[in-house]
């Protein structure tokens, strides 16, 4: 099969590219990515050596470029990871979130309609459900929890989800949606909590914790998320939403202290800073549906995953410095400007 993976130069998309190349050697993976600040070709340098992989630099909201690629590749499956993904940036400047996350999704689905596909899979987030109270440990997000968003980011993702379900009902497009909790692991851009803490602590710089660090996130190792998406897009039912999460809730302050302890750094590095406006209190996923229907369960414990993640950043400081310095854009020009 030909599989178009959008946003495959980012954090989860790149892990997914490697997952597919390893587990489905019979399939061809075409990565379409705009290479925003969050996309990095260095991340895909091993994939580039695989003859079943092709990289195309394009914007999912660019109708002409997207239709051209579909004409060339006639994909069987399209998996959409491409998005503006950082809540804090959406608070600073919402516009690009609406363009990429909503209009980009529309363009991809219009191309899917024209060229015909077996499955369009939308990678969504648990943030579309809003948040849960800290003191109600008995409450979890199910697929029937009403959409109730807090940030421009989550509102754009919820809008895209509604559009995907509308294309299914109105145009019979064969779609599926996954809504996952917070991921962590290799290639995570160092603007997000865990890689930011790791990259700052390496240099003995202060680590900024919003508010009192009491907000709770439900952490999942990125490879477990990739396995879930792979199952849903191949075996999940059309028109369905699947929640993905591993029952691994932690307060932010606990996560930060765990990272510092693994790195052998002092908790004195912690600096409590002004809270995020509209900060969601707690996310917690009920993954019963994916586990009962598709047999998915996470394989990596938080203790193992977080240790491996810290080790990965330790061994990949060049990658870290590259994404922080913007060197990856020069790398792209060098590799692709004359093609
Ligand atoms: P990321 O920011 O690391 O990567 C996003 C990728 O999309 C980058 O490679 C970027 O260059 C590309 N991109 C951005 N705009 C584009 C455009 N207009 N056209 C083509 N490519 C574009 O994001 P991530 O954390 O890997 O998240 C991937 C997806 O998973 C997103 O849809 C996000 O909403 C969702 N998600 C993320 C998490 C998480 O914890 N990170 C959890 C659940 C769901
Ligand atoms: O739940 C899934 C979502 O998880 C995804 O849809 C988003 O794309 C992804 O970015 C993530 O959103 P969060 O807002 O939960 O992730 P972030 O890493 O930005 O923040 C995690 C928690 O840590 C959150 O409560 C805010 C807090 N935080 C974050 C940063 C960047 C801090 O305390 N300090 C920080 O410097």
């Amino acid at each position: 099969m030909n599989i178009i993976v959008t946003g495959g130069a980012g954090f989860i998309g790149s892990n997914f590219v490697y997952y597919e190349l390893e587990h489905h050697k019979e399939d061809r993976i075409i990565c379409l990515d705009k290479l925003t600040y969050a996309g990095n070709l260095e991340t895909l340098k091993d994939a580039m050596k695989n003859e079943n992989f092709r990289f195309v630099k394009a914007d999912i909201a660019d109708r002409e470029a997207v239709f051209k690629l579909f004409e060339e590749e006639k994909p069987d499956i399209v998996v959409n990871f491409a998005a503006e993904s950082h809540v804090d940036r959406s608070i600073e400047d919402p516009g690009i979130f609406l363009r990429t996350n909503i209009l980009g999704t529309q363009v991809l689905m219009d191309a899917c309609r024209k060229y015909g596909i077996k499955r369009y899979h939308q990678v969504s987030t648990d943030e579309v459900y809003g948040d849960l109270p800290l003191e109600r440990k008995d409450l979890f997000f199910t697929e029937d929890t009403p959409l109730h968003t807090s940030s421009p980011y989550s509102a754009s993702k919820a809008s895209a989800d509604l559009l995907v379900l509308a294309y299914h009902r109105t145009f019979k497009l064969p779609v599926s949606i996954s809504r996952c909790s917070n991921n962590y692991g290799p290639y995570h851009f160092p603007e997000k909590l865990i890689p930011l803490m790791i990259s700052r602590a390496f240099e003995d710089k202060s680590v900024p914790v919003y508010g009192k660090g009491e907000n709770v996130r439900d952490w999942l190792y990125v490879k477990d998320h990739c396995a879930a998406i792979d199952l849903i897009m191949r075996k999940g039912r059309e028109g369905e939403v699947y929640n993905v999460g591993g029952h691994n809730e932690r307060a932010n302050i606990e996560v930060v202290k765990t990272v510092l302890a693994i790195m052998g750094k002092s908790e004195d590095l912690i600096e409590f800073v002004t809270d995020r406006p509209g900060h969601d209190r707690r996310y917690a996923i009920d993954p019963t549906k994916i586990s009962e229907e598709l047999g998915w369960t996470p394989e990596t414990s938080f203790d193992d995953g977080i240790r491996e993640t810290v080790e990965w950043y330790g061994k990949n400081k060049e990658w870290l410095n590259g994404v922080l310095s913007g060197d990856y854009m020069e790398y792209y020009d060098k590799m692709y400007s004359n093609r």
Side-chain angles (χ1 to χ4, degrees), residues 10-12 33-34 36 39 59-60 81 85 100 124 153 157 183:
F11 165 44
I12 309 175
D33 197 297
K34 185 181 173 185
T36 67
D59 182 338
I60 57 164
F81 290 91
S85 69
T100 290
S124 187
Y153 162 70
K157 294 294 290 184
N183 286 212

Side-chain angles (χ1 to χ4, degrees), residues 106-129:
Q106 183 211 357
V107 169
L108 288 172
M109 289 196 298
D110 284 344
C112 288
R113 282 186 67 205
K114 175 164 182 197
Y115 290 96
I117 35 123
K118 293 195 177 84
R119 179 62 60 92
Y120 172 84
H121 183 77
Q122 177 76 357
V123 180
S124 187
T125 168
D126 61 359
E127 295 201 16
V128 299
Y129 299 121

Side-chain angles (χ1 to χ4, degrees), residues 6-15 31-40 55-62 66 80-86 96 99-101 104 122-127 153 157 178-184 187-189 191-192 219-220 222 225 229 244 328:
T6 69
F11 165 44
I12 309 175
S14 61
N15 277 281
C31 170
L32 181 161
D33 197 297
K34 185 181 173 185
L35 295 182
T36 67
Y37 77 93
N40 180 6
F55 178 82
V56 176
K57 185 183 180 206
D59 182 338
I60 57 164
D62 178 344
V66 168
N80 182 24
F81 290 91
E84 290 293 335
S85 69
H86 194 34
I96 185 71
R99 182 177 187 276
T100 290
N101 298 1
Q122 177 76 357
V123 180
S124 187
T125 168
D126 61 359
E127 295 201 16
Y153 162 70
K157 294 294 290 184
S178 50
R179 294 183 181 145
C180 189
S181 57
N182 286 61
N183 286 212
Y184 67 98
Y187 302 118
H188 204 180
F189 196 83
E191 66 184 352
K192 308 281 168 59
W219 294 98
L220 184 72
V222 63
H225 186 192
I229 293 171
V244 183
Y328 61 96

